[in-house]
Amino acid sequence: PVGNNIIPLILDNLLGSFTALCINASWALGSLCDRLGPNMSHAPQLVQRLQRLLMKDHDSQLLRNVAIVLSRIAQYFPQVVSAALPEVCAYWLVPLAQVKFGGERDRAHTSALLVLRGNLPVALQQLPRICSLLHSWGDTPMPPPIRQAARDLLISLKQSPDFTTRWNAVPADDQLF
């Protein structure tokens, strides 16, 4: 498809020196992810490039956009994102917790929780960040699919012998989600 042909051009602009251009490129990638869905042919390359962006100190809007794009890729290619979790997870969850707009936050958080459930060793290491992500909902009611995904992930994590040690490392405020 035409969308797959434009992805390399957008990828080149993602690492540009102009923040506004990078933000627009990340937004375009997010739109293409939705348009192409499982027909996207560049998922591994996208995840690698997004991973590099997340691991650098960038504009907070760019980091949120990149985290959202990674979540969209996770919807269609969870195995690709799961394979990158050991390196990218900590950098992915922090900007995801800052996504505040309705449907986008719902999709991004659900995708992240489902991918994390598929990689429990990484999820256990990132338990404080997962709790921070869930705590970011504050007083806003968490939609049932996200609540269920969070519940399923935490139940799975509780099976680990290291869970109590990791849970005790979570700040008390974040344990209250």
Side-chain angles (χ1 to χ4, degrees), residues 82-156:
S82 183
L85 275 183
E87 292 81 24
V88 77
C89 190
Y91 302 98
W92 181 32
L93 294 178
V94 172
L96 271 188
Q98 298 168 2
V99 176
K100 300 296 181 198
F101 24 87
E104 198 64 70
R105 175 172 62 173
D106 295 0
R107 289 176 62 194
H109 287 195
T110 301
S111 294
L113 293 169
L114 293 175
V115 169
L116 285 161
R117 187 157 182 231
N119 198 328
L120 291 176
V122 172
L124 187 61
Q125 291 175 344
Q126 297 302 324
L127 187 59
R129 285 185 178 91
I130 293 168
C131 290
S132 180
L133 176 77
L134 298 173
H135 187 249
S136 72
W137 285 82
D139 293 335
T140 305
M142 197 179 289
I146 298 171
R147 181 177 300 284
Q148 187 63 47
R151 184 177 187 276
D152 292 346
L153 174 61
L154 289 171
I155 287 171
S156 296

Side-chain angles (χ1 to χ4, degrees), residues 31-70:
S31 294
L32 276 173
C33 286
D34 282 340
R35 182 171 165 224
L36 296 173
N39 297 318
M40 186 172 46
S41 62
H42 295 81
Q45 296 91 335
L46 280 171
V47 169
Q48 286 177 349
R49 187 70 54 97
L50 296 171
Q51 179 179 344
R52 279 191 268 158
L53 274 170
L54 284 171
M55 294 172 77
K56 291 185 177 179
D57 188 22
H58 283 293
D59 175 82
S60 61
Q61 182 181 353
L62 175 60
L63 292 175
R64 279 191 306 274
N65 283 9
V66 168
I68 288 168
V69 173
L70 191 59

